[in-house]
Amino acid sequence: LLALFVVAGMVAFVACGPNTADKAKKAKEDSTRIADSTAKVERDAFVIDSTNQVALKAKEDSTKKADSIAKKGGKKEVKKVK
């Protein structure tokens, strides 16, 4: 009789677990969350790269300006951007 109750309890425990539809829904939510976080990382990397390119362009422009002033023999002091 005890074995019958144990088997019935095991069947009831397994039957109350998550079903296939719940598992599929959770897997879809997880993959969507991963895709969203990957897109955010790529977007952040693009913004950082764009910012670095703007800073590099500004540095090149200031260097060109300082060089042209120096070639003209200007006495104006120009700070170069580091």
Side-chain angles (χ1 to χ4, degrees), residues 1-2 5-6 8 12 14-15 17-18 20 22 27-28 40 44 49 52 56-58 60-61 69-70 73-74 76:
L1 188 60
L2 180 62
F5 284 126
V6 170
V14 170
T20 306
D22 290 341
K28 184 177 179 182
K40 184 182 182 314
D44 291 348
D49 185 46
N52 288 340
L56 183 61
K57 178 73 173 142
E60 289 172 358
D61 290 347
I69 290 172
K76 185 176 180 183

Side-chain angles (χ1 to χ4, degrees), residues 26-41:
K26 178 152 177 39
K28 184 177 179 182
E29 289 172 354
D30 289 346
S31 66
T32 302
R33 186 174 39 251
I34 290 170
D36 289 346
S37 63
T38 302
K40 184 182 182 314
V41 168

Side-chain angles (χ1 to χ4, degrees), residues 48-69:
I48 290 169
D49 185 46
S50 298
T51 304
N52 288 340
Q53 288 178 0
V54 168
L56 183 61
K57 178 73 173 142
K59 181 179 177 183
E60 289 172 358
D61 290 347
S62 78
T63 303
K64 286 179 185 177
K65 186 175 182 180
D67 290 344
S68 67
I69 290 172

Side-chain angles (χ1 to χ4, degrees), residues 62 65-66 69-70 73-80:
S62 78
K65 186 175 182 180
I69 290 172
K75 296 180 182 180
K76 185 176 180 183
E77 184 178 318
V78 177
K79 291 184 180 179
K80 288 187 178 182

